[in-house]
Amino acid sequence: ATGKPVDQFSFTLSTADLLNQQSGIASGYGFRRSTLSSGLPRVVRILYVEQGSPAQIAGVSRGDTITSIDGVDINDTTSAGIATLNAGLAPTVASKTTRFGLVAANTTVPRFVNITSSQSIAVTPVALSTVIADGGNTVGYLVLNSFGVVSAERQLIDAMTALKNARVNELVLDLRYNGGGYLDLSNELAWMIGDATLAGKTFEKLTCN
């Protein structure tokens, strides 16, 4: 009745795109964005930037807000303007150079960068793993952006081993940008965290509709 899709999660990909995703190869500029407000005024913000990507090389940073694309203001409402904005945000061809106007967090003056899209951007599933001293606690902080990349397994093993060696007694597992992926990989991570305390417990159960 609301017009909202009953199934919000199903989608299709070409075999080539799927294999690239699983091997940790992405296309685009190398940043992930979020549309915080689709109405006027529009707010499109950079969530994170892949290391070594065209966006990172151009100086794009987490927290930047996009103000213009190829000279078109982000709040443009004309058909031509919206077409330019969409083409810039989601390039469909390789080596597309787009000029972005960006405003850094806590500033108001825009800067402009040219970014050329790529079909072979290396994705780092474990974006951050660090230890934070909090009074008497040693807190591990782990950011995992995808369960769907094969290389995430090795990265998780290395990160969890380092946290264990640091004797962390609390753990923050940050999955806010994680879109899912392999169930067996998420199961492995759960076991790394819970260890033998999880023996005999159900992690997940699949039920076909």
Side-chain angles (χ1 to χ4, degrees):
T2 63
K4 187 176 182 180
V6 174
D7 181 357
Q8 305 171 57
F9 305 104
S10 295
F11 60 93
T12 60
L13 285 177
S14 69
T15 299
D17 286 341
L18 176 63
L19 293 176
N20 278 340
Q21 283 191 13
Q22 292 175 341
S23 62
I25 301 299
S27 60
Y29 303 110
F31 63 68
R32 182 169 175 178
R33 59 182 169 81
S34 177
T35 302
L36 304 183
S37 172
S38 56
L40 298 179
R42 299 186 184 111
V43 179
V44 183
R45 190 157 294 157
I46 305 300
L47 299 179
Y48 62 83
V49 180
E50 294 289 353
Q51 292 299 306
S53 67
Q56 192 265 337
I57 293 170
V60 180
S61 299
R62 168 176 163 81
D64 284 346
T65 298
I66 298 175
T67 58
S68 66
I69 298 175
D70 284 335
V72 176
D73 188 273
I74 197 68
N75 291 310
D76 196 299
T77 57
T78 66
S79 297
I82 291 174
T84 298
L85 295 175
N86 287 334
L89 288 172
T92 57
V93 296
S95 301
K96 180 188 187 310
T97 299
T98 304
R99 186 170 178 80
F100 287 90
L102 301 167
V103 172
N106 301 317
T107 66
T108 57
V109 179
R111 69 188 192 281
F112 298 91
V113 297
N114 294 324
I115 312 174
T116 301
S117 63
S118 171
Q119 297 293 311
S120 56
I121 297 171
V123 174
T124 305
V126 178
L128 178 67
S129 178
T130 190
V131 176
I132 303 168
D134 179 29
N137 292 323
T138 304
V139 183
Y141 183 71
L142 178 67
V143 179
L144 178 64
N145 286 339
S146 177
F147 284 110
V149 179
V150 175
S151 61
E153 181 179 49
R154 182 72 259 168
Q155 292 180 24
L156 281 171
I157 291 172
D158 292 343
M160 294 301 290
T161 299
L163 294 177
K164 182 177 180 179
N165 291 339
R167 298 183 180 278
V168 301
N169 60 352
E170 291 188 2
L171 176 67
V172 176
L173 178 61
D174 190 339
L175 301 175
R176 77 181 94 175
Y177 305 134
N178 193 308
Y182 295 114
L183 291 174
D184 59 340
L185 187 56
S186 59
N187 197 340
E188 284 184 51
L189 177 58
W191 184 268
M192 291 179 199
I193 296 171
D195 202 16
T197 59
L198 301 178
K201 296 183 179 180
T202 300
F203 176 74
E204 48 86 11
K205 179 179 179 181
L206 294 178
T207 302
C208 295
N209 62 18

